[in-house]
PDB file of all heavy atoms in Angstrom:
ATOM      1  N   ALA B1531      24.312 -53.305 -82.375  1.00 87.00           N
ATOM      2  CA  ALA B1531      25.398 -53.475 -81.351  1.00 87.00           C
ATOM      3  C   ALA B1531      25.594 -54.934 -80.978  1.00 87.00           C
ATOM      4  O   ALA B1531      26.738 -55.384 -80.691  1.00 87.00           O
ATOM      5  CB  ALA B1531      25.056 -52.649 -80.097  1.00 87.00           C
ATOM      6  N   SER B1532      24.502 -55.707 -80.996  1.00 91.00           N
ATOM      7  CA  SER B1532      24.641 -57.128 -80.632  1.00 91.00           C
ATOM      8  C   SER B1532      25.531 -57.922 -81.625  1.00 91.00           C
ATOM      9  O   SER B1532      25.983 -59.032 -81.325  1.00 91.00           O
ATOM     10  CB  SER B1532      23.286 -57.796 -80.545  1.00 91.00           C
ATOM     11  OG  SER B1532      22.639 -57.700 -81.807  1.00 91.00           O
ATOM     12  N   ARG B1533      25.702 -57.372 -82.832  1.00 95.00           N
ATOM     13  CA  ARG B1533      26.570 -58.072 -83.815  1.00 95.00           C
ATOM     14  C   ARG B1533      28.006 -57.988 -83.476  1.00 95.00           C
ATOM     15  O   ARG B1533      28.807 -58.740 -83.947  1.00 95.00           O
ATOM     16  CB  ARG B1533      26.324 -57.458 -85.202  1.00 95.00           C
ATOM     17  CG  ARG B1533      24.928 -57.452 -85.646  1.00 95.00           C
ATOM     18  CD  ARG B1533      24.667 -56.743 -86.939  1.00 95.00           C
ATOM     19  NE  ARG B1533      25.153 -57.475 -88.079  1.00 95.00           N
ATOM     20  CZ  ARG B1533      24.523 -58.458 -88.644  1.00 95.00           C
ATOM     21  NH1 ARG B1533      23.367 -58.899 -88.155  1.00 95.00           N
ATOM     22  NH2 ARG B1533      25.000 -59.064 -89.703  1.00 95.00           N
ATOM     23  N   GLN B1534      28.382 -57.052 -82.605  1.00 94.00           N
ATOM     24  CA  GLN B1534      29.788 -56.872 -82.244  1.00 94.00           C
ATOM     25  C   GLN B1534      30.339 -58.135 -81.579  1.00 94.00           C
ATOM     26  O   GLN B1534      31.512 -58.451 -81.679  1.00 94.00           O
ATOM     27  CB  GLN B1534      29.984 -55.749 -81.268  1.00 94.00           C
ATOM     28  CG  GLN B1534      30.054 -54.401 -81.935  1.00 94.00           C
ATOM     29  CD  GLN B1534      30.516 -53.304 -80.948  1.00 94.00           C
ATOM     30  OE1 GLN B1534      31.242 -53.551 -79.994  1.00 94.00           O
ATOM     31  NE2 GLN B1534      30.102 -52.106 -81.236  1.00 94.00           N
ATOM     32  N   ARG B1535      29.432 -58.882 -80.909  1.00 95.00           N
ATOM     33  CA  ARG B1535      29.863 -60.142 -80.249  1.00 95.00           C
ATOM     34  C   ARG B1535      30.536 -61.059 -81.237  1.00 95.00           C
ATOM     35  O   ARG B1535      31.393 -61.860 -80.913  1.00 95.00           O
ATOM     36  CB  ARG B1535      28.646 -60.760 -79.613  1.00 95.00           C
ATOM     37  CG  ARG B1535      28.888 -62.127 -78.979  1.00 95.00           C
ATOM     38  CD  ARG B1535      27.719 -62.620 -78.178  1.00 95.00           C
ATOM     39  NE  ARG B1535      27.804 -64.030 -77.795  1.00 95.00           N
ATOM     40  CZ  ARG B1535      28.605 -64.503 -76.850  1.00 95.00           C
ATOM     41  NH1 ARG B1535      29.310 -63.680 -76.130  1.00 95.00           N
ATOM     42  NH2 ARG B1535      28.643 -65.779 -76.601  1.00 95.00           N
ATOM     43  N   TYR B1536      30.143 -60.994 -82.551  1.00 97.00           N
ATOM     44  CA  TYR B1536      30.629 -61.887 -83.566  1.00 97.00           C
ATOM     45  C   TYR B1536      31.650 -61.205 -84.495  1.00 97.00           C
ATOM     46  O   TYR B1536      32.615 -61.811 -84.934  1.00 97.00           O
ATOM     47  CB  TYR B1536      29.489 -62.456 -84.389  1.00 97.00           C
ATOM     48  CG  TYR B1536      28.458 -63.022 -83.424  1.00 97.00           C
ATOM     49  CD1 TYR B1536      27.223 -62.412 -83.253  1.00 97.00           C
ATOM     50  CD2 TYR B1536      28.769 -64.161 -82.647  1.00 97.00           C
ATOM     51  CE1 TYR B1536      26.278 -62.922 -82.345  1.00 97.00           C
ATOM     52  CE2 TYR B1536      27.827 -64.667 -81.724  1.00 97.00           C
ATOM     53  CZ  TYR B1536      26.594 -64.052 -81.572  1.00 97.00           C
ATOM     54  OH  TYR B1536      25.714 -64.523 -80.677  1.00 97.00           O
ATOM     55  N   LEU B1537      31.380 -59.924 -84.775  1.00 97.00           N
ATOM     56  CA  LEU B1537      32.309 -59.187 -85.685  1.00 97.00           C
ATOM     57  C   LEU B1537      33.656 -58.975 -84.956  1.00 97.00           C
ATOM     58  O   LEU B1537      34.678 -59.032 -85.643  1.00 97.00           O
ATOM     59  CB  LEU B1537      31.687 -57.832 -86.070  1.00 97.00           C
ATOM     60  CG  LEU B1537      30.506 -57.943 -87.007  1.00 97.00           C
ATOM     61  CD1 LEU B1537      29.752 -56.566 -87.062  1.00 97.00           C
ATOM     62  CD2 LEU B1537      30.907 -58.379 -88.394  1.00 97.00           C
ATOM     63  N   ASP B1538      33.636 -58.707 -83.674  1.00 96.00           N
ATOM     64  CA  ASP B1538      34.846 -58.428 -82.942  1.00 96.00           C
ATOM     65  C   ASP B1538      35.861 -59.619 -82.984  1.00 96.00           C
ATOM     66  O   ASP B1538      36.988 -59.467 -83.366  1.00 96.00           O
ATOM     67  CB  ASP B1538      34.509 -58.024 -81.533  1.00 96.00           C
ATOM     68  CG  ASP B1538      35.678 -57.363 -80.839  1.00 96.00           C
ATOM     69  OD1 ASP B1538      36.172 -56.349 -81.399  1.00 96.00           O
ATOM     70  OD2 ASP B1538      36.117 -57.836 -79.800  1.00 96.00           O
ATOM     71  N   PRO B1539      35.404 -60.836 -82.642  1.00 97.00           N
ATOM     72  CA  PRO B1539      36.401 -61.931 -82.749  1.00 97.00           C
ATOM     73  C   PRO B1539      36.741 -62.278 -84.153  1.00 97.00           C
ATOM     74  O   PRO B1539      37.865 -62.714 -84.431  1.00 97.00           O
ATOM     75  CB  PRO B1539      35.617 -63.125 -82.053  1.00 97.00           C
ATOM     76  CG  PRO B1539      34.217 -62.778 -82.055  1.00 97.00           C
ATOM     77  CD  PRO B1539      34.144 -61.253 -81.978  1.00 97.00           C
ATOM     78  N   ALA B1540      35.802 -62.055 -85.123  1.00 98.00           N
ATOM     79  CA  ALA B1540      36.195 -62.379 -86.506  1.00 98.00           C
ATOM     80  C   ALA B1540      37.279 -61.415 -86.993  1.00 98.00           C
ATOM     81  O   ALA B1540      38.147 -61.870 -87.791  1.00 98.00           O
ATOM     82  CB  ALA B1540      34.935 -62.263 -87.377  1.00 98.00           C
ATOM     83  N   CYS B1541      37.223 -60.198 -86.590  1.00 97.00           N
ATOM     84  CA  CYS B1541      38.326 -59.256 -86.896  1.00 97.00           C
ATOM     85  C   CYS B1541      39.517 -59.543 -86.032  1.00 97.00           C
ATOM     86  O   CYS B1541      40.675 -59.481 -86.530  1.00 97.00           O
ATOM     87  CB  CYS B1541      37.875 -57.828 -86.650  1.00 97.00           C
ATOM     88  SG  CYS B1541      36.591 -57.235 -87.765  1.00 97.00           S
ATOM     89  N   GLY B1542      39.302 -59.887 -84.781  1.00 97.00           N
ATOM     90  CA  GLY B1542      40.446 -60.117 -83.841  1.00 97.00           C
ATOM     91  C   GLY B1542      41.306 -61.259 -84.251  1.00 97.00           C
ATOM     92  O   GLY B1542      42.504 -61.273 -83.974  1.00 97.00           O
ATOM     93  N   VAL B1543      40.730 -62.245 -84.940  1.00 97.00           N
ATOM     94  CA  VAL B1543      41.573 -63.407 -85.342  1.00 97.00           C
ATOM     95  C   VAL B1543      42.637 -63.012 -86.319  1.00 97.00           C
ATOM     96  O   VAL B1543      43.665 -63.702 -86.421  1.00 97.00           O
ATOM     97  CB  VAL B1543      40.613 -64.546 -85.876  1.00 97.00           C
ATOM     98  CG1 VAL B1543      40.239 -64.298 -87.330  1.00 97.00           C
ATOM     99  CG2 VAL B1543      41.208 -65.893 -85.711  1.00 97.00           C
ATOM    100  N   THR B1544      42.479 -61.882 -86.980  1.00 96.00           N
ATOM    101  CA  THR B1544      43.497 -61.453 -87.957  1.00 96.00           C
ATOM    102  C   THR B1544      44.765 -60.970 -87.245  1.00 96.00           C
ATOM    103  O   THR B1544      45.781 -60.716 -87.822  1.00 96.00           O
ATOM    104  CB  THR B1544      43.000 -60.287 -88.834  1.00 96.00           C
ATOM    105  OG1 THR B1544      42.697 -59.135 -88.031  1.00 96.00           O
ATOM    106  CG2 THR B1544      41.762 -60.691 -89.636  1.00 96.00           C
ATOM    107  N   LEU B1545      44.702 -60.820 -85.909  1.00 96.00           N
ATOM    108  CA  LEU B1545      45.860 -60.450 -85.125  1.00 96.00           C
ATOM    109  C   LEU B1545      46.556 -61.719 -84.574  1.00 96.00           C
ATOM    110  O   LEU B1545      47.761 -61.703 -84.243  1.00 96.00           O
ATOM    111  CB  LEU B1545      45.491 -59.552 -83.916  1.00 96.00           C
ATOM    112  CG  LEU B1545      44.990 -58.187 -84.269  1.00 96.00           C
ATOM    113  CD1 LEU B1545      44.526 -57.424 -83.039  1.00 96.00           C
ATOM    114  CD2 LEU B1545      46.080 -57.365 -84.974  1.00 96.00           C
ATOM    115  N   ALA B1546      45.803 -62.773 -84.467  1.00 96.00           N
ATOM    116  CA  ALA B1546      46.390 -63.991 -83.907  1.00 96.00           C
ATOM    117  C   ALA B1546      47.020 -64.862 -84.948  1.00 96.00           C
ATOM    118  O   ALA B1546      47.919 -65.651 -84.657  1.00 96.00           O
ATOM    119  CB  ALA B1546      45.259 -64.726 -83.135  1.00 96.00           C
ATOM    120  N   LEU B1547      46.520 -64.785 -86.144  1.00 95.00           N
ATOM    121  CA  LEU B1547      47.066 -65.544 -87.265  1.00 95.00           C
ATOM    122  C   LEU B1547      47.527 -64.580 -88.374  1.00 95.00           C
ATOM    123  O   LEU B1547      47.014 -63.472 -88.459  1.00 95.00           O
ATOM    124  CB  LEU B1547      45.941 -66.436 -87.869  1.00 95.00           C
ATOM    125  CG  LEU B1547      45.304 -67.442 -86.965  1.00 95.00           C
ATOM    126  CD1 LEU B1547      44.118 -68.134 -87.676  1.00 95.00           C
ATOM    127  CD2 LEU B1547      46.302 -68.489 -86.519  1.00 95.00           C
ATOM    128  N   PRO B1548      48.514 -64.958 -89.114  1.00 93.00           N
ATOM    129  CA  PRO B1548      48.870 -64.056 -90.240  1.00 93.00           C
ATOM    130  C   PRO B1548      47.677 -63.687 -91.079  1.00 93.00           C
ATOM    131  O   PRO B1548      46.941 -64.549 -91.510  1.00 93.00           O
ATOM    132  CB  PRO B1548      49.907 -64.872 -91.074  1.00 93.00           C
ATOM    133  CG  PRO B1548      50.479 -65.841 -90.087  1.00 93.00           C
ATOM    134  CD  PRO B1548      49.320 -66.169 -89.138  1.00 93.00           C
TER     135      PRO B1548
END
Side-chain angles (χ1 to χ4, degrees):
Chain B
S1532 61
R1533 303 173 75 77
Q1534 276 191 30
R1535 175 170 168 78
Y1536 309 108
L1537 290 167
D1538 196 56
C1541 292
V1543 80
T1544 63
L1545 292 175
L1547 301 173

